[in-house]
Amino acid sequence: GVQLVDSGGGLVQPGESLRLSCVASGFTFSDYAVSWVRQPPGKELEWVSAINADGRTTYYADSVKGRFTISRDNAKNTLLLQLNSLKLEDTAMYYCARLSFGNCYSGSSCYKIEHITYWGQGTQVTVSS
């Protein structure tokens, strides 16, 4: 069946960087929008970033815009998230997630928890001084 395997998390200091990966299988990766969602300790799920099947249309939460970069490599069925200039408040479990659509051009309204059809197992990012 469908699998999304997240990796790349770790413990870093403020200002440092990480790169998260998500390897997908069991479906045609290039047909679907994919995303990163996170859950800080004691808080609700928060959309981080998303990329359409078109590979061009991206979305970023205001809290990460300019610091994080989402990309995809359809040939490798892989979703990536580059996290730069990490802050203490970026500490969270980060999940790769597949959306129910391929392309959506309505901005933030595209990205709701109920639009997620599959989840990765999550990878922990801890930013600590």
Side-chain angles (χ1 to χ4, degrees):
V2 171
Q3 287 191 309
L4 298 168
V5 181
D6 304 334
S7 64
L11 174 64
V12 297
Q13 294 184 327
E16 295 184 340
S17 299
L18 285 172
R19 185 172 68 249
L20 308 183
S21 298
C22 170
V23 179
S25 62
F27 66 99
T28 303
F29 181 72
S30 60
D31 285 349
Y32 289 92
V34 283
S35 64
W36 292 96
V37 182
R38 70 185 182 186
Q39 186 167 32
K43 297 184 179 180
E44 298 299 316
L45 288 167
E46 175 188 17
W47 282 98
V48 176
S49 187
I51 184 167
N52 276 356
D54 64 24
R56 304 185 310 274
T57 308
T58 59
Y59 165 82
Y60 296 95
D62 288 343
S63 59
V64 307
K65 191 172 297 182
R67 298 188 298 118
F68 293 7
T69 303
I70 192 169
S71 61
R72 64 190 298 162
D73 185 341
N74 288 341
K76 297 180 179 179
N77 290 346
T78 299
L79 174 70
L80 301 172
L81 185 69
Q82 180 68 39
L83 299 77
N84 293 332
S85 301
L86 283 161
K87 303 175 179 179
L88 295 177
E89 53 264 40
D90 294 318
T91 294
M93 183 70 73
Y94 284 71
Y95 299 93
C96 175
R98 197 194 85 176
L99 282 297
S100 62
F101 54 84
N103 297 296
C104 178
Y105 303 103
S106 301
S108 61
S109 65
C110 302
Y111 308 109
K112 299 180 178 180
I113 299 299
E114 55 262 41
H115 295 162
I116 294 173
T117 53
Y118 295 96
W119 295 80
Q121 83 285 356
T123 185
Q124 178 68 38
V125 172
T126 302
V127 185
S128 177
S129 59

